[in-house]
Amino acid sequence: MDKEERKIINQGQEDEMEIYGYNLSRWKLAIVSLGVICTGGFLLLLLYWMPEWRVKATCVRAAMKDCDVVLLRTTDEFKMWFCAKIRVLSLETHPVSSPKSMSNKLSNGHAVCLTENPTGENRHGISKYSQAESQQIRYFTHHSVKYFWNDTIHNFDFLKGLDEGVSCTSIYEKHSAGLTKGMHAYRKLLYGVNEIAVKVPSVFKLLIKEVLNPFYIFQLFSVILWSTDEYYYYALAIVVMSIVSIVSSLYSIRKQYVMLHDMVATHSTVRVSVCRVNEEIEEIFSTDLVPGDVMVIPLNGTIMPCDAVLINGTCIVNESMLTGESVPVTKTNLPNPSVDVKGIGDELYNPETHKRHTLFCGTTVIQTRFYTGELVKAIVVRTGFSTSKGQLVRSILYPKPTDFKLYRDAYLFLLCLVAVAGIGFIYTIINSILNEVQVGVIIIESLDIITITVPPALPAAMTAGIVYAQRRLKKIGIFCISPQRINICGQLNLVCFDKTGTLTEDGLDLWGIQRVENARFLSPEENVCNEMLVKSQFVACLATCHSLTKIEGVLSGDPLDLKMFEAIGWILEEATEEETALHNRIMPTVVRPPKQLLPESTPAGNQEMELFELPAIYEIGIVRQFPFSSALQRMSVVARVLGDKKMDAYMKGAPEVIASLCKPETVPVDFQNVLEDFTKQGFRVIALAHRKLESKLTWHKVQNISRDAIENNMDFMGLIIMQNKLKQETPAVLEDLHKANIRTVMVTGDNMLTAVSVARDCGMILPQDKVIIAEALPPKDGKVAKINWHYADSLTQCSHPSAIASEATPVKLVHDSLEDLQMTRYHFAMNGKSFSVILEHFQDLVPKLMLHGTVFARMAPDQKTQLIEALQNVDYFVGMCGDGANDCGALKRAHGGISLSELEASVASPFTSKTPSISCVPNLIREGRAALITSFCVFKFMALYSIIQYFSVTLLYSILSNLGDFQFLFIDLAIILVVVFTMSLNPAWKELVAQRPPSGLISGALLFSVLSQIIICIGFQSLGFFWVKQQPWYEVWHPKSDACNATGSLLWNSSHLDNETELDEHNIQNYENTTVFFISSFQYLIVAIAFSKGKPFRQPCYKNYFFVFSVIFLYVFILFIMLYPVASVDQVLQIVCVPYQWRVTMLIIVLVNAFVSITVEESVDRWRKCCLPWALSCGKKIPKAKYMYLAQELLVDPEWPPKPQTTTEAKGLVKENGSCQIITIT
């Protein structure tokens, strides 16, 4: 049954989960209720913390189809459990819910989504996930997504909108008419309210959730225990600390909720107009929108309340919320395949592929362009949490847990402390029974030892270093929304950088143009703005082929387009709403040159200009725009010169793409060489093309023509050369990272050779290093997928392998250190298409390519995320630095994502830098390393503190004594808290070093350090405890004891006679207690100094003035009360008077202890630096990190790196040990 009923939901996606069905069992519930009563509610808490136990303890397994509860487990490395209750949605009351036809057809094979036929949609769709007889749909909600039971696949699945399995044709034919009110009501029932509901929990709810944290429950247990033992003061101190901690935690959590709520509230409820089937316009609230509704976009713009595909008109949209780009984007209507001159087949609509036609939720529509009588319409495709903004908000509301070795080891360490506490617990019980102690006292004292061993202040102490690091980062302009990631940043050993706007300046400068005449390149020209070129097709293309628009009189749009348009100095005029309303069709945007550029009269002999009868007026109207598409790497426009009979088509884009769409005879023979020359120098090159359209193409036909019909058979016109300058600080920052053994990788959407050139310029690839370009081709015409390897310096054209000069294979350098293995002298470069093919067909090559992959060009946003994952799979700690635009997924996925943009898109990034400069990367790593080392220091110190106190108490329990209330208070508040919160203040070391801090607590050197200090402290405490008993003046202390023989002692003793009964009861005042108290107090300070590490990750200890002052003050104070007792202090701390000679002996014990502790700690440090690398090299230990192990393997692999002019082919269907073979091309 287990096998049969274990199903997977969201298969292949990031949130893939196993799902199991359960039904409530009454007898199990009765047993659990009894258990809860017997354990005083503790079992209830345990079941609250463990959803898996809760379900298994109260339910029995059941078939998924009939279950009441589902148990979910994520399939990632965290294997987290969740449970959800099954609810029932009843459709019996609904007039359209009785199915006549029970078709089980699914639109896309496995998903519950809207069927193609809108009239029968309620009948067809319902049968997939409801029981026909009862008309009830079973569903559950998990992380704000509803999962409905789907009868076809016998599993739960979430309801999809029109974003999957719906063709572009059906969007026009079946969905463009709108919904009837009945269909709308039916869909509303299924899809629910269209809102991204971020409920800000009440303070009470948050308080309950926070207080039920295991840590606070343990503190509560400790406080109750101490109160019963009359340790009121320390209990009160812990309560105060806990309240401060809870209040600050509640404040920050609530603040984040409010911030998120405000971010989504802007469009939560607005009034929108929708078209119904009978063409009537109905005004409804945006919360009532459902997929399939036809929404009317208002003239004055709006904030989109859903994801919708544009079917009529044009919109100018600000998408900064999603992409981080504040540049307005022009959105055009989705091409209608049924009326296209050249059809594009029945292509499926996809919001990502067709993003230039999709209006996304939360983005702002600034302006609309429309036809008179025809409204600007968009069909709703996704609502609520399914929208792009909804998914972004979900990723913030339900983040993936951060998996870090330090935290895993911390739990292991706590378990060890619990085991130690268990030993103490048993020892105390046995010892008390042997000494015939009362049962009540035995229970309290044995439980007390647990609270001593596992310090309640540990979590507060651990977070102190992170809080201080966060504050220091804020001072240098780096803001953090995920403080736990600061520690992880200390481990980063690879950083991915976006290129444009990150490594290089944001904008591009026009360097010059290189026109083509008679299929030959003319010499490059710098100035485009001159009389000679004003009426040329080249300048006409620059003037029209762009997506610029005027917003409140200011020209705005893509920075690249702006630069080009400014270079020619033309004027852009757009029709006002009033003008558009007067005409039957949309008024075109008009561009014209300034009057000073136009010649006085038209030269008669010039054929190109004889059409312009009016010399003073030369205007070009932009009739149709095909926006830039990153998938197609081009944009085009249809324009008409005023007075001209025929229209013109202009196109610009990636040179390789433009050249392939031009007549071969118009492309210069040396095109590849010229292009390569420019790209090698790091220039961004854009090609232009043009053609006259046939006179039969009327304005109306152009509005419905497909872009494929326009974008072919063009005349190649030349190149625009743009310069993208490196940011001033880039080379220095990358050099710092390389010195610190941190690999750098470039991930960009730009051209491959331009990216390689920039990588060389900024020092990412050194001059002597070789660059191997991996060009992967997918399987085609029965041939398997293959990778062609080219060497960048000799790459001319992929289609002419013979032109590649034979190169020597790059040298493999053997390094002393494993860390340097990745610094060998060759780099791989590839584009997004090749990367996808390699991921799909060459799985075994991926790790090898990750080891030396440095340049990844033409990468789409999801490919950037896949690259981060691939690098993490070979155990790299990956940082990602981008400008927030389309890097969102990668920034979230990386161990440390730093956004250089403060726009809303970067809200998902753990770190945001105020200054748009990559100098924040080394700063973040330095602070991360300092915070990580601080965490280690604090953890070691807290472990020693609990063991020292545990041993003190265990020694005193042996004589049925204990530490006094105020002694505990002094140690825990005055020493421990002061030391912990000041030792965390060490700032980061001023430069990055090649050495990296350890990632976990369970390492040889660290464990040796802790164990050696434990042995030393136990040894010296035992020495004091047993030696005091050997003193000639020693006797079992009683109120009249006078070991000091001082006259003042009588006064001292007389003041205590009143408390005699109380003192006898707890037996706190005795010589052993006083000795152990003084020695242990010094030991806390000794280990604090021993563990306070400075260089190479933190500033030296003596520069932490608060810590130095605190330690000196505590040393002086303890020394003073030890050598020169003050009666009032002794009375409070319940210290007894001991002879002066014994005080000096204790001082000697403490001094020797300090010398031994610090010497051993220094020796451990030196041993780790000197002996560990030697031991590793002798033992030839296999490195833990996969990338290091792989680097060792590749050093002896004769086939790697691939030689030039070779091809790697994927094997057919059979996958054996090596699924690739290398074939040399001759």
Side-chain angles (χ1 to χ4, degrees):
M1 180 181 174
D2 265 42
K3 264 189 181 174
E4 183 189 52
E5 280 304 307
R6 177 184 157 259
K7 294 183 183 286
I8 302 280
I9 57 170
N10 303 333
Q11 197 147 15
Q13 292 173 38
E14 197 182 331
D15 52 353
E16 184 181 272
M17 288 178 288
E18 292 171 2
I19 179 167
Y20 306 88
Y22 282 87
N23 278 341
L24 205 62
S25 163
R26 287 188 180 178
W27 65 268
K28 276 191 170 186
L29 204 61
I31 293 170
V32 168
S33 306
L34 191 69
V36 169
I37 295 162
C38 294
T39 57
F42 182 69
L43 181 62
L44 195 65
L45 272 174
L46 205 61
L47 296 180
Y48 167 76
W49 294 328
M50 314 287 279
E52 179 200 2
W53 293 8
R54 181 163 77 244
V55 172
K56 287 181 177 176
T58 57
C59 303
V60 288
R61 284 297 294 272
M64 206 90 72
K65 196 177 178 184
D66 312 307
C67 63
D68 301 328
V69 178
V70 287
L71 191 60
L72 306 160
R73 185 172 78 156
T74 59
T75 54
D76 56 17
E77 68 271 28
F78 302 107
K79 301 276 187 277
M80 288 176 72
W81 290 92
F82 301 96
C83 66
K85 197 177 177 187
I86 298 290
R87 299 179 189 281
V88 174
L89 186 67
S90 178
L91 300 175
E92 285 168 357
T93 52
H94 206 270
V96 293
S97 63
S98 54
K100 291 172 188 169
S101 144
M102 296 303 288
S103 159
N104 277 334
K105 173 181 166 287
L106 262 98
S107 306
N108 64 343
H110 71 275
V112 181
C113 67
L114 299 183
T115 50
E116 297 284 296
N117 180 4
T119 51
E121 175 255 332
N122 41 27
R123 292 192 290 276
H124 287 227
I126 194 165
S127 61
K128 295 172 206 161
Y129 36 69
S130 72
Q131 284 72 34
E133 309 79 48
S134 61
Q135 279 313 294
Q136 288 186 331
I137 301 178
R138 303 172 71 254
Y139 73 94
F140 68 89
T141 307
H142 173 67
H143 284 180
S144 303
V145 174
K146 278 184 184 175
Y147 293 85
F148 289 87
W149 176 255
N150 183 336
D151 259 346
T152 314
I153 57 169
H154 298 291
N155 198 355
F156 285 93
D157 203 353
F158 68 90
L159 197 62
K160 298 182 180 69
L162 297 177
D163 55 322
E164 264 188 55
V166 180
S167 65
C168 294
T169 313
S170 72
I171 279 192
Y172 275 99
E173 289 178 1
K174 295 172 182 172
H175 298 283
S176 59
L179 302 173
T180 62
K181 287 190 179 177
M183 281 159 62
H184 176 271
Y186 171 78
R187 286 194 189 176
K188 174 90 188 293
L189 207 63
L190 284 178
Y191 285 96
V193 179
N194 168 38
E195 64 174 349
I196 300 167
V198 178
K199 292 190 179 81
V200 179
S202 66
V203 176
F204 180 71
K205 255 188 183 176
L206 282 174
L207 182 69
I208 294 296
K209 199 176 175 184
E210 189 73 13
V211 168
L212 290 180
N213 182 314
F215 158 62
Y216 288 119
I217 294 295
F218 178 66
Q219 279 201 337
L220 182 70
F221 162 73
S222 304
V223 165
I224 293 168
L225 184 71
W226 294 329
S227 302
T228 55
D229 205 15
E230 296 171 21
Y231 289 173
Y232 298 119
Y233 300 105
Y234 186 52
L236 185 69
I238 286 291
V239 167
V240 170
M241 242 174 63
S242 300
I243 289 170
V244 170
S245 173
I246 288 169
V247 167
S248 65
S249 178
L250 287 189
Y251 173 75
S252 62
I253 292 170
R254 195 173 158 82
K255 190 180 166 188
Q256 277 191 345
Y257 269 114
V258 170
M259 215 172 78
L260 201 56
H261 178 266
D262 293 348
M263 184 185 118
V264 296
T266 45
H267 59 85
S268 56
T269 311
V270 289
R271 279 197 165 278
V272 291
S273 300
V274 292
C275 297
R276 293 283 172 239
V277 169
N278 51 7
E279 292 191 7
E280 68 167 289
I281 304 285
E282 186 189 350
E283 201 168 89
I284 61 171
F285 282 112
S286 59
T287 47
D288 294 329
L289 286 171
V290 295
D293 267 331
V294 176
M295 182 182 164
V296 178
I297 311 294
L299 305 177
N300 53 351
T302 182
I303 293 176
M304 287 301 293
C306 58
D307 286 356
V309 61
L310 207 55
I311 54 164
N312 254 1
T314 308
C315 293
I316 290 145
V317 186
N318 182 344
E319 291 193 319
S320 61
M321 194 292 300
L322 277 185
T323 62
E325 297 274 15
S326 51
V327 175
V329 184
T330 305
K331 302 274 183 169
T332 57
N333 58 309
L334 183 77
N336 185 353
S338 57
V339 296
D340 276 350
V341 177
K342 180 189 171 195
I344 53 167
D346 211 9
E347 188 186 3
L348 288 181
Y349 167 72
N350 182 297
E352 264 310 301
T353 317
H354 299 101
K355 65 180 173 193
R356 284 291 180 173
H357 315 293
T358 307
L359 303 169
F360 292 104
C361 179
T363 60
T364 309
V365 178
I366 304 166
Q367 281 180 8
T368 59
R369 301 263 191 283
F370 60 98
Y371 306 84
T372 304
E374 284 205 45
L375 300 160
V376 179
K377 294 180 190 172
I379 297 174
V380 177
V381 289
R382 295 187 294 206
T383 55
F385 277 101
S386 303
T387 61
S388 45
K389 183 163 187 175
Q391 287 163 9
L392 176 70
V393 172
R394 274 185 69 216
S395 71
I396 300 164
L397 277 175
Y398 313 107
K400 256 190 162 183
T402 45
D403 179 42
F404 189 39
K405 204 165 180 288
L406 171 69
Y407 304 126
R408 288 203 307 272
D409 290 354
Y411 288 120
L412 273 174
F413 212 89
L414 276 175
L415 282 175
C416 294
L417 288 180
V418 168
V420 171
I423 296 165
F425 179 79
I426 293 161
Y427 163 77
T428 309
I429 291 172
I430 293 167
N431 185 53
S432 302
I433 290 168
L434 291 175
N435 286 288
E436 296 174 2
V437 178
Q438 291 173 4
V439 175
V441 177
I442 294 176
I443 292 168
I444 287 170
E445 288 195 343
S446 53
L447 289 174
D448 199 20
I449 203 108
I450 295 172
T451 67
I452 287 165
T453 320
V454 183
L458 181 65
M462 288 290 281
T463 50
I466 295 171
V467 170
Y468 295 143
Q470 194 176 357
R471 205 176 292 167
R472 286 195 297 270
L473 284 171
K474 201 172 179 181
K475 275 184 190 168
I476 54 173
I478 300 170
F479 297 93
C480 171
I481 61 162
S482 177
Q484 295 301 326
R485 298 249 186 162
I486 297 175
N487 269 346
I488 302 175
C489 287
Q491 280 294 308
L492 296 185
N493 52 7
L494 183 147
V495 184
C496 296
F497 292 97
D498 181 36
K499 184 179 79 70
T500 314
T502 305
L503 295 172
T504 59
E505 295 289 352
D506 218 346
L508 291 158
D509 298 318
L510 187 72
W511 179 83
I513 61 167
Q514 190 151 15
R515 292 186 299 134
V516 168
E517 270 183 22
N518 303 324
R520 286 190 180 180
F521 277 114
L522 303 178
S523 54
E525 299 162 77
E526 271 186 49
N527 189 13
V528 198
C529 185
N530 63 41
E531 286 183 22
M532 298 291 293
L533 296 173
V534 73
K535 291 188 180 180
S536 66
Q537 298 291 9
F538 194 94
V539 168
C541 184
L542 287 175
T544 56
C545 198
H546 53 69
S547 56
L548 299 177
T549 183
K550 274 195 169 170
I551 296 168
E552 293 172 2
V554 180
L555 207 59
S556 63
D558 188 277
L560 186 82
D561 289 347
L562 264 173
K563 273 278 188 306
M564 290 184 195
F565 195 75
E566 284 166 6
I568 56 169
W570 282 39
I571 297 152
L572 180 134
E573 286 177 358
E574 285 179 334
T576 60
E577 286 171 20
E578 293 78 18
E579 285 175 319
T580 313
L582 293 170
H583 294 75
N584 289 336
R585 61 184 188 211
I586 196 165
M587 278 285 283
T589 299
V590 172
V591 289
R592 57 182 169 79
K595 283 181 183 169
Q596 62 267 30
L597 277 182
L598 286 170
E600 291 302 311
S601 60
T602 311
N606 192 329
Q607 285 184 348
E608 196 184 354
M609 296 182 184
E610 61 192 20
L611 292 165
F612 312 133
E613 290 148 20
L614 299 167
I617 301 172
Y618 174 60
E619 288 184 347
I620 306 174
I622 302 167
V623 180
R624 174 96 195 265
Q625 243 184 31
F626 296 101
F628 176 77
S629 155
S630 49
L632 300 173
Q633 296 178 19
R634 62 180 184 267
M635 81 162 288
S636 56
V637 292
V638 176
R640 176 185 263 158
V641 176
L642 186 70
D644 203 338
K645 302 277 189 299
K646 292 181 180 178
M647 294 189 194
D648 297 273
Y650 295 105
M651 178 167 68
K652 74 167 191 215
E656 306 92 334
V657 175
I658 301 297
S660 69
L661 296 168
C662 289
K663 296 173 194 162
E665 63 270 19
T666 65
V667 181
V669 183
D670 57 348
F671 165 73
Q672 279 290 353
N673 295 337
V674 171
L675 174 63
E676 198 185 327
D677 283 345
F678 284 126
T679 50
K680 271 187 181 173
Q681 291 171 59
F683 290 117
R684 171 102 176 257
V685 184
I686 290 155
L688 306 184
H690 158 261
R691 81 173 163 106
K692 279 267 181 221
L693 297 175
E694 306 84 44
S695 51
K696 66 176 184 182
L697 271 179
T698 61
W699 188 92
H700 267 295
K701 279 184 180 170
V702 165
Q703 291 309 318
N704 292 317
I705 200 165
S706 78
R707 69 190 290 170
D708 289 4
I710 297 288
E711 295 173 345
N712 63 45
N713 228 16
M714 309 285 271
D715 295 336
F716 191 79
M717 287 202 300
L719 306 170
I720 305 166
I721 299 104
M722 311 291 287
Q723 199 172 15
N724 195 193
K725 291 173 186 161
L726 272 182
K727 284 187 179 174
Q728 205 177 338
E729 65 278 1
T730 298
V733 169
L734 294 184
E735 194 184 345
D736 284 351
L737 293 173
H738 288 157
K739 280 180 184 169
N741 266 344
I742 294 167
R743 244 186 85 190
T744 52
V745 170
M746 187 192 292
V747 194
T748 175
D750 208 341
N751 169 291
M752 165 85 74
L753 291 175
T754 306
V756 170
S757 164
V758 171
R760 283 200 185 278
D761 289 347
C762 66
M764 206 176 263
I765 297 173
L766 299 173
Q768 68 273 20
D769 293 359
K770 291 275 173 247
V771 177
I772 306 167
I773 291 181
E775 184 207 12
L777 304 168
K780 199 178 179 185
D781 305 329
K783 291 180 181 174
V784 292
K786 60 180 181 178
I787 307 173
N788 295 326
W789 307 99
H790 308 288
Y791 280 48
D793 302 325
S794 54
L795 177 68
T796 51
Q797 197 173 356
C798 301
S799 54
H800 301 307
S802 56
I804 300 171
S806 182
E807 294 269 343
T809 305
V811 189
K812 290 185 188 177
L813 299 176
V814 179
H815 292 276
D816 300 334
S817 159
L818 285 175
E819 285 294 321
D820 296 332
L821 279 172
Q822 71 259 37
M823 306 301 284
T824 42
R825 298 171 69 174
Y826 60 94
H827 304 261
F828 289 108
M830 67 194 76
N831 61 23
K833 283 178 187 170
S834 297
F835 179 68
S836 290
V837 172
I838 290 167
L839 274 187
E840 194 177 341
H841 300 283
F842 297 91
Q843 273 294 324
D844 51 344
L845 279 186
V846 174
K848 295 180 183 181
L849 291 170
M850 289 307 104
L851 203 64
H852 293 284
T854 303
V855 176
F856 295 85
R858 297 271 188 243
M859 296 284 274
D862 58 323
Q863 289 172 332
K864 290 183 179 183
T865 311
Q866 287 168 344
L867 173 66
I868 300 287
E869 283 175 350
L871 289 163
Q872 287 172 337
N873 287 343
V874 288
D875 293 346
Y876 276 114
F877 280 93
V878 185
M880 170 78 198
C881 182
D883 54 6
N886 68 38
D887 299 325
C888 206
L891 288 168
K892 267 190 326 192
R893 183 53 51 87
H895 291 110
I898 316 158
S899 168
L900 302 185
S901 154
E902 287 189 79
L903 291 156
E904 280 185 50
S906 63
V907 82
S909 172
F911 301 95
T912 307
S913 172
K914 211 173 185 180
T915 49
S917 148
I918 64 163
S919 54
C920 62
V921 176
N923 287 338
L924 178 64
I925 297 173
R926 283 190 307 107
E927 286 298 347
R929 288 179 172 189
L932 187 56
I933 286 298
T934 300
S935 294
F936 285 139
C937 293
V938 168
F939 209 96
K940 284 161 71 177
F941 175 71
M942 291 302 279
L944 257 293
Y945 145 64
S946 52
I947 296 294
I948 291 169
Q949 197 170 72
Y950 165 77
F951 198 72
S952 304
V953 171
T954 310
L955 282 175
L956 293 173
Y957 274 6
S958 68
I959 57 160
L960 302 182
S961 177
N962 199 351
L963 289 172
D965 194 359
F966 279 99
Q967 288 176 340
F968 271 124
L969 199 64
F970 177 74
I971 290 167
D972 293 332
L973 288 187
I975 300 179
I976 304 306
L977 287 188
V978 170
V979 166
V980 158
F981 290 120
T982 55
M983 84 188 296
S984 305
L985 282 168
N986 284 36
W989 184 242
K990 47 188 178 286
E991 58 194 42
L992 274 178
V993 292
Q995 188 188 342
R996 270 204 336 275
S999 59
L1001 287 164
I1002 316 295
S1003 69
L1006 214 135
L1007 285 177
F1008 183 73
S1009 161
V1010 170
L1011 290 171
S1012 57
Q1013 293 300 333
I1014 287 174
I1015 292 163
I1016 293 163
C1017 291
I1018 286 176
F1020 282 99
Q1021 259 197 64
S1022 305
L1023 177 69
F1025 180 80
F1026 292 112
W1027 198 3
V1028 73
K1029 292 182 178 182
Q1030 308 305 316
Q1031 300 306 309
W1033 47 264
Y1034 174 82
E1035 61 177 339
V1036 174
W1037 191 88
H1038 52 87
K1040 291 181 182 176
S1041 293
D1042 186 14
C1044 299
N1045 291 325
T1047 49
S1049 64
L1050 291 170
L1051 293 169
W1052 190 93
N1053 282 332
S1054 62
S1055 68
H1056 276 68
L1057 287 173
D1058 306 332
N1059 300 330
E1060 191 175 339
T1061 357
E1062 188 190 324
L1063 295 175
D1064 286 341
E1065 193 184 322
H1066 286 98
N1067 187 23
I1068 284 163
Q1069 286 187 307
N1070 52 56
Y1071 300 121
E1072 292 92 334
N1073 170 292
T1074 301
T1075 304
V1076 165
F1077 170 73
F1078 279 125
I1079 292 174
S1080 66
S1081 295
F1082 277 113
Q1083 281 181 338
Y1084 299 125
L1085 296 173
I1086 291 164
V1087 292
I1089 292 167
F1091 288 156
S1092 269
K1093 297 285 193 308
K1095 280 170 67 176
F1097 305 116
R1098 303 197 306 167
Q1099 296 278 6
C1101 193
Y1102 57 81
K1103 286 201 175 179
N1104 182 351
Y1105 304 118
F1106 284 106
F1107 176 68
V1108 171
F1109 173 77
S1110 305
V1111 169
I1112 289 173
F1113 177 79
L1114 285 167
Y1115 260 123
V1116 169
F1117 177 75
I1118 300 167
L1119 205 59
F1120 181 77
I1121 60 169
M1122 185 173 86
L1123 296 177
Y1124 301 98
V1126 178
S1128 55
V1129 174
D1130 284 3
Q1131 190 179 339
V1132 170
L1133 290 174
Q1134 292 170 282
I1135 296 168
V1136 298
C1137 189
V1138 291
Y1140 189 77
Q1141 180 196 349
W1142 181 243
R1143 296 173 196 275
V1144 174
T1145 309
M1146 282 196 292
L1147 179 61
I1148 293 164
I1149 291 172
V1150 165
L1151 289 173
V1152 175
N1153 185 347
F1155 174 76
V1156 174
S1157 286
I1158 290 165
T1159 308
V1160 167
E1161 189 60 25
E1162 285 300 311
S1163 309
V1164 169
D1165 260 11
R1166 209 156 287 147
W1167 169 74
R1168 197 177 72 218
K1169 284 173 193 166
C1170 310
C1171 309
L1172 205 61
W1174 175 80
L1176 283 173
S1177 60
C1178 287
K1180 290 196 175 160
K1181 188 186 165 193
I1182 297 169
K1184 282 181 186 172
K1186 284 181 197 165
Y1187 71 88
M1188 287 188 189
Y1189 175 67
L1190 201 62
Q1192 278 185 345
E1193 274 192 343
L1194 293 182
L1195 276 176
V1196 292
D1197 186 349
E1199 297 294 325
W1200 197 262
K1203 293 170 179 61
Q1205 304 179 56
T1206 57
T1207 297
T1208 303
E1209 287 189 354
K1211 281 192 177 171
L1213 297 169
V1214 186
K1215 268 204 169 185
E1216 289 166 29
N1217 293 340
S1219 64
C1220 298
Q1221 56 185 7
I1222 294 183
I1223 303 157
T1224 307
I1225 299 170
T1226 49

